[in-house]
Amino acid sequence: MALIDHADVFIGSTDDGWTFVVLNRPIRNAARILTGAGFTPREHQGRTLYLLPPETAEDAHERAGVAVYGLLAHTHDLVDLAWTTRQYSGNSAAQPDVTIRFTDRVVTATAATEQAATILAQHGFTPTGAKRQYTLPPELGESDGLSAVIGAEAHLHVHGISVRVGLGIATLHDIPPAPSRPSATPAPPSTTQVQRRSR
């Protein structure tokens, strides 16, 4: 399972500035809600992506806000880690105070302030030894790591600390394929299973 498969709705950003929405289960009126907010559907490796091209953070924020508002009427299982929809101190060129990055099942973070570092620590991040560098414990599973990042991002936001989350997805082509679905027809039992049942 990929990082983007852990919620009914996942909103993220590619490193090159696209905003994308992934629906991991059918949601009533979702296509209408997303296209009405300006997202364009595109088929990609077994899944439908809803896309906004790189644009200003203000425009992306407004479009994503309209989409989220509509989708929340049908599910609360929604994750929004899109950096493209965030504005930092009214200046889209400003650097965030915290950068969190998913890479090869490792989650790292940098913090520009002591307050940001303290909040990261409250969500399980530990210092790496390098100045202002932190990481989540490697034994944390993908789902728990995602939960820790969601909690940290929300906590930092409440304190007015800007955050950018990099998902490790460079371009749209790097978005993982849809997870394989179990076949509708169950596989016949193996000889060993039949023998165990007959005992």
Side-chain angles (χ1 to χ4, degrees):
M1 180 179 282
L3 180 69
I4 62 175
D5 297 322
H6 288 275
D8 288 351
V9 179
F10 190 98
I11 305 172
S13 303
T14 60
D15 292 346
D16 63 354
W18 286 78
T19 306
F20 65 88
V21 177
V22 172
L23 304 176
N24 290 310
R25 74 166 178 85
I27 296 174
R28 189 162 49 96
N29 297 326
R32 183 182 56 78
I33 291 165
L34 289 161
T35 56
F39 286 80
T40 302
R42 181 190 295 177
E43 293 304 313
H44 173 75
Q45 298 192 64
R47 65 167 96 231
T48 302
L49 303 174
Y50 291 87
L51 306 171
L52 287 179
E55 57 186 341
T56 67
E58 294 86 354
D59 289 342
H61 178 79
E62 183 177 335
R63 292 173 191 271
V66 169
V68 167
Y69 182 78
L71 292 169
L72 283 174
H74 304 286
T75 182
H76 287 184
D77 187 16
L78 184 148
V79 171
D80 180 1
L81 294 177
W83 65 264
T84 47
T85 62
R86 310 300 199 261
Q87 301 174 48
Y88 308 125
S89 305
N91 178 0
S92 59
Q95 291 298 308
D97 298 311
V98 174
T99 301
I100 300 173
R101 190 118 188 109
F102 288 87
T103 53
D104 297 328
R105 302 200 180 270
V106 175
V107 183
T108 60
T110 58
T113 66
E114 202 56 47
Q115 182 186 20
T118 300
I119 292 172
L120 287 172
Q122 290 173 4
H123 292 275
F125 285 85
T126 57
T128 63
K131 187 176 181 182
R132 305 269 189 214
Q133 302 286 318
Y134 304 87
T135 188
L136 285 176
E139 63 272 12
L140 210 57
E142 187 174 77
S143 181
D144 290 335
L146 179 60
S147 294
V149 170
I150 293 167
E153 199 254 4
H155 193 168
L156 290 159
H157 180 72
V158 164
H159 287 275
I161 299 171
S162 58
V163 186
R164 176 172 171 162
V165 178
L167 302 173
I169 300 173
T171 71
L172 293 175
H173 299 292
D174 300 307
I175 293 175
S180 58
R181 305 279 181 222
S183 73
T185 308
S190 68
T191 309
T192 308
Q193 289 173 324
V194 172
Q195 288 171 350
R196 284 183 184 154
R197 283 189 204 140
S198 62
R199 288 181 183 171

